[in-house]
Amino acid sequence: MNTFHDLGLNEDLLHAITDLGFTKPSEVQEKAIPVLLNSETDLVALAQTGTGKTAAFGFPMLQKINVDSRTTQGLILSPTRELCLQITNEIKLYGKYCKGLNVVAIYGGASITEQAREVKRGAQIIVATPGRMKDMISRNMVDITKIEYSVLDEADEMLNMGFKEDITDILSHTPKDKNTWLFSATMPKEVAAIAKNFMHKPQEITVGTKNEGSSQVSHEYYLTNSRDRYLALKRLADANPDIFSVVFCRTKRDTQKVAEKLIEDGYNAGALHGDLSQNQRDLVMKAFRNNQIQMLVATDVAARGIDVDDITHVINYQLPDEIETYTHRSGRTGRAGKTGVSMVIISKSEVRKIKSIERIINKQFVKKEIPNGMEICEVQLMSLANKVHNTEVNHDIDNYLGKINELFEDSTKDELIKKFFSVEFSRFHNYYQKAPDLNISESSKSNDDDRSTSNTTRYFINVGKKDGYDWMSLKDFLKEILELGRDDVFKVEVKDSFSFFNTENEMKEKVLAFFTDFKYNGRYVNVEVSENRGGGGGRKRDRRRGGGQRDDRRSNFKGKNDRKSSSGKSKSRRSKSDDFVASRPRRSRR
Ligand code: AMP
């Protein structure tokens, strides 16, 4: 095993490494640092976040640049503002003994003139997000024509976020003979194309296998009905009292909704998504870093660049649209040598996606049971018992000991323990004692999800394939106009000129009321209760109002792409399951 000294790093850097407490190089550092120090080469490194990759490119860059010159020699591009700031901070720490070093962060959402001023003072290294960098180049606020080293960090994320053109544009302002070091967690075609088009015979380094997640992370999935997703989430949190987690949702709306519900139910939760202002996001991230938030509910985009080392769990409340994104999500845990768990809550129709993810990450998921109420009570009780056992005695209590002893004069130790723990235990016990089993079996028969048709209403709607819909886009459309959650519309079946969908019975009134007079692009959209129960049965629908009329209306319909937003607002439902939530015990702050 090499030491940092063996890798060829100079005294200034070794001194900083000692201060940082790094005892040995990580795998990516061991592989990348000697290559970058000893040759002028391009490099493609496949490495997850949390593997120490910032130091893997940061140390060589710091050692190779000339700090006596004020010329910008190193450019690091990163996908998000958060990551940009983190890299800047790390590089400053690594270079703290490099006298004269100036590292400047360039990112959107902050004063461009202030950033330009800092650059002008002489920045040997610029760490930037692509959008702001391009902006500053076009305004002649930076000069990157003498760059010797450029880094594309989290290249796959930058491409995912649509920065390809910006990156191409930025690189066109840099010298041809510079070295480019590309770091990416995954290697989709687009990243391979960048390596091919912009790099010259790059050396390749792989930490783990291509696209594979960190070996420190174990993967679990939990199978439940879609409508029980939220309850399952709470069980998973309750079964892990010291959880410090990122909970991923697919949309901003679901992210906000889940976070709000968790807060309402007494969890230390917060939301992180693109509809929040930068200031709000900074506050949430600060609270998360300080452990005031135990469950950070986030969208994939907003969570990019979350660089917190001690996340114990990643919870996939919903699977991502692109399964490759799963690698990024799970990479938020198991960082800096720690272990982590990535949990996925899925309904039956998503089981096949687990198989696809397994192929991508080259690891097996373990199917786990959602804990039942009594298991959670036991975990909570033992967690409290351990906390009590490990608590240091506060001797200010000594003054009151006499009175307390008097009160418990007649109690035995056993009685006292029982009473003491009942205070906490009863709250959980009352809540969980009649809690239903949330698990469902993989083999039971179901298509879209498990809702029993007797609790649900099937509707007919006079739009279909001819209007440009498939089941997914119609589901999205209905969810949006009715302001419903992801799982509230199901069994969507799209025919040529009409379609069917289901909701739970309790939403029937709301759905029908909404469509009583709903005009869309000049045409009435008609929704009626159908007799077709869905799932491949007969096609008998309620024709009380006449099918012909529906077809007439359809002819004017412009399709989903022309739609304007609806003003029909109504509060989203509280499900039966949610009523159960109301009596849940409040959690105490960590
Ligand atoms: P990164 O993958 O660069 O985001 O690094 C993840 C975390 O690991 C950061 O907090 C680094 O400070 C830390 N780190 C980097 N290299 C080492 C090392 N060799 N030993 C211990 N921690 C490290």
Side-chain angles (χ1 to χ4, degrees), residues 321-340:
D321 287 331
E322 301 279 332
I323 44 178
E324 284 77 12
T325 307
Y326 178 83
T327 315
H328 290 285
R329 290 184 172 188
S330 59
R332 301 292 156 209
T333 183
R335 296 168 58 85
K338 304 202 174 86
T339 55

Side-chain angles (χ1 to χ4, degrees), residues 77-90:
L77 292 178
S78 82
T80 63
R81 175 194 150 137
E82 283 75 17
L83 191 59
C84 170
L85 285 167
Q86 279 151 20
I87 295 171
T88 309
N89 289 338
E90 290 271 314

Side-chain angles (χ1 to χ4, degrees), residues 31 35 41-46 182 187 192 195 199 201-207 210:
K31 288 181 172 169
V35 173
T41 179
D42 284 352
L43 175 87
V44 171
L46 278 160
L182 180 151
M187 189 45 98
M199 298 167 80
K201 292 190 182 155
Q203 302 219 27
E204 278 201 30
I205 284 174
T206 304
V207 179
K210 279 187 188 178

Side-chain angles (χ1 to χ4, degrees), residues 331-385:
R332 301 292 156 209
T333 183
R335 296 168 58 85
K338 304 202 174 86
T339 55
V341 184
S342 176
M343 298 171 152
V344 183
I345 304 173
I346 50 165
S347 65
K348 220 177 303 168
S349 58
E350 295 169 306
V351 174
R352 65 197 152 76
K353 287 195 186 163
I354 293 289
K355 304 280 170 242
S356 313
I357 294 173
E358 282 179 338
R359 277 193 294 276
I360 287 184
I361 62 173
N362 199 18
K363 277 214 191 76
Q364 296 284 308
F365 272 79
V366 178
K367 181 181 181 298
K368 290 259 185 132
E369 294 283 297
I370 299 164
N372 66 38
M374 289 325 289
E375 282 164 347
I376 289 174
C377 288
E378 185 182 337
V379 169
Q380 289 286 343
L381 184 64
M382 290 319 295
S383 161
L384 178 65

Side-chain angles (χ1 to χ4, degrees), residues 4 17 20-29 48-57 59 83 86-87 90 93-94 153-154 307 309 335-337:
F4 279 108
I17 289 168
L20 284 161
F22 297 176
T23 49
K24 55 182 185 349
S26 68
E27 189 184 346
V28 66
Q29 291 161 3
Q48 290 270 317
T49 63
T51 52
K53 63 187 169 58
T54 314
F57 61 75
F59 288 143
L83 191 59
Q86 279 151 20
I87 295 171
E90 290 271 314
L93 286 173
Y94 303 157
D153 193 24
E154 303 218 346
D307 196 358
D309 284 342
R335 296 168 58 85

